[in-house]
Amino acid sequence: MQKRARLLLAVKAAISIGLLGWLVMTIAEREGMDALGERIGQLAALPLVVAVALHFAAVLSGVARWRVLLDARGLGQPAPWLLRSFLIGRFIGAFTPSTAGLDGWRAYDVARRTGDMPGSAGVILVEKLFGLVGMAAVCAVLAPLGALDRLGPSALPLALAIAAGSMLGLFLLASPARTRALAGIAPRAIRGRVEKIAEALAAQQLSAPRIASALVLGIVTHLAISAVFAATGASLGVAASTTTLLAVGNAITIAILLPLSIGGVGVREGVAVMLLAGAGVATSDAVLVALLGYVTGQVPALVGGVLLLLDRGARESRAANTALAADRT
């Protein structure tokens, strides 16, 4: 198992390095590497501040959606604690493929607090389905505004297919009977594990108001993340419309969900270059649109890193005090 994990990590690293190498060569051939430095020196500061604010808006809406679904499972936690956990997860997720680090940490953190690992993991799974519906909805809204010019005619059918599949999953999970029936047709080798997960998912109390709240928050989250790239494009002053930049941002968000590289490195920039080329955006500018979107997103992650260090420091201090007290007795 470890050998397979190392092999997958090596493949992802090779993809990231290969894509970055291609981008560097493309910039060097078309514009020269000095173009990157010149454009960085011309950045407008205010749109970058907006980009950071949009990342925090996505965090807050993500925390709110997580809380709604935890409440539905009977695992509700205080909003400040959930925000803290989410930010720490963002920090851990900066070093892992796709959203694995963020999702894994949140599932573990709630399970550590409640003692219900299947329920906590089940909430994350349901949340991902709502997130996919939200992402597809953003794509569908952008399509009639000209986004298909950048994403291609297959984008809307793909978005609708993602939404349909996710909504089917939510439909199955909304009924304990349907969930258990689905687990019953799983292969015998994994049926026991699937049934445990199904039991956890079946305990979700997905009332209509909660479903509506989770869907709206999913749309807000993905719209905020897509808008980050519109803000970084504005900082660079690229010759592309806001709609185009939103569409590209949505495409980047979809692409980095696929565990193809380490932290989306290379994939993010490659998608931006391919989609913005048709809008007349220079390769160096397209790379910077994506790269700045990533860099501004590390601000919440850095806050999470500080919180993680403080948590560890507090635990070590408590352990030291306990050991000292034991020695004295």
Side-chain angles (χ1 to χ4, degrees):
M1 194 68 178
Q2 290 182 348
K3 184 177 180 180
R4 182 181 178 184
R6 287 195 297 267
L7 178 60
L8 288 174
L9 180 62
V11 170
K12 292 171 184 176
I15 291 173
S16 290
I17 294 171
L19 287 171
L20 289 176
W22 168 70
L23 291 168
V24 168
M25 290 177 60
T26 302
I27 294 173
E29 290 176 0
R30 295 180 181 178
E31 302 148 43
M33 293 304 297
D34 292 342
L36 284 174
E38 292 175 1
R39 297 298 284 135
I40 291 174
Q42 298 168 357
L43 290 174
L46 182 57
L48 291 181
V49 174
V50 172
V52 172
L54 286 166
H55 277 295
F56 276 106
V59 167
L60 291 174
S61 60
V63 170
R65 182 180 59 187
W66 186 26
R67 190 183 187 193
V68 166
L69 296 175
L70 284 171
D71 287 344
R73 180 59 179 80
L75 298 176
Q77 302 297 321
W81 184 87
L82 291 174
L83 176 59
R84 185 185 188 91
S85 180
F86 197 101
L87 288 169
I88 292 174
R90 278 290 299 267
F91 175 74
I92 295 171
F95 308 98
T96 59
S98 187
T99 61
L102 171 62
D103 296 338
W105 169 261
R106 290 189 296 145
Y108 161 77
D109 212 17
V110 170
R112 182 176 59 174
R113 194 172 169 95
T114 64
D116 187 356
M117 185 63 191
S120 179
V123 167
I124 297 296
L125 176 58
V126 172
E127 184 193 33
K128 301 302 287 185
L129 292 174
F130 277 109
L132 288 173
V133 174
M135 183 172 61
V138 171
C139 188
V141 168
L142 291 173
L145 300 178
L148 293 183
D149 294 341
R150 298 276 70 80
L151 302 181
S154 62
L156 185 56
L158 178 60
L160 294 176
I162 292 173
S166 302
M167 292 179 74
L168 175 61
L170 291 171
F171 171 76
L172 293 172
L173 298 179
S175 165
R178 289 193 292 264
T179 305
R180 295 187 185 99
L182 184 65
I185 64 174
R188 184 173 299 177
I190 62 171
R191 187 173 300 167
R193 186 179 303 175
V194 172
E195 286 176 347
K196 288 182 180 179
I197 295 174
E199 287 294 329
L201 294 174
Q204 297 279 349
Q205 300 298 317
L206 293 175
S207 63
R210 283 172 172 161
I211 291 173
S213 297
L215 286 174
V216 170
L217 290 167
I219 292 171
V220 170
T221 298
H222 286 285
L223 186 58
I225 294 173
S226 298
V228 164
F229 299 94
T232 58
S235 177
L236 287 160
V238 298
S241 68
T242 300
T243 303
T244 294
L245 291 169
L246 283 171
V248 171
N250 194 46
I252 290 173
T253 303
I254 295 171
I256 61 178
L257 287 177
L258 302 174
L260 299 175
S261 63
I262 298 177
V265 174
V267 172
R268 182 185 301 103
E269 294 76 14
V271 170
V273 168
M274 288 186 291
L275 295 182
L276 287 174
V281 177
T283 302
S284 57
D285 279 358
V287 168
L288 286 174
V289 165
L291 185 59
L292 290 171
Y294 170 75
V295 171
T296 53
Q298 298 318 296
V299 177
L302 288 173
V303 173
V306 172
L307 293 173
L308 181 60
L309 288 175
L310 291 174
D311 277 355
R312 287 184 174 178
R315 286 197 298 269
E316 290 173 0
S317 177
R318 286 195 297 269
N321 289 336
T322 300
L324 182 61
D327 290 341
R328 287 177 178 176
T329 57

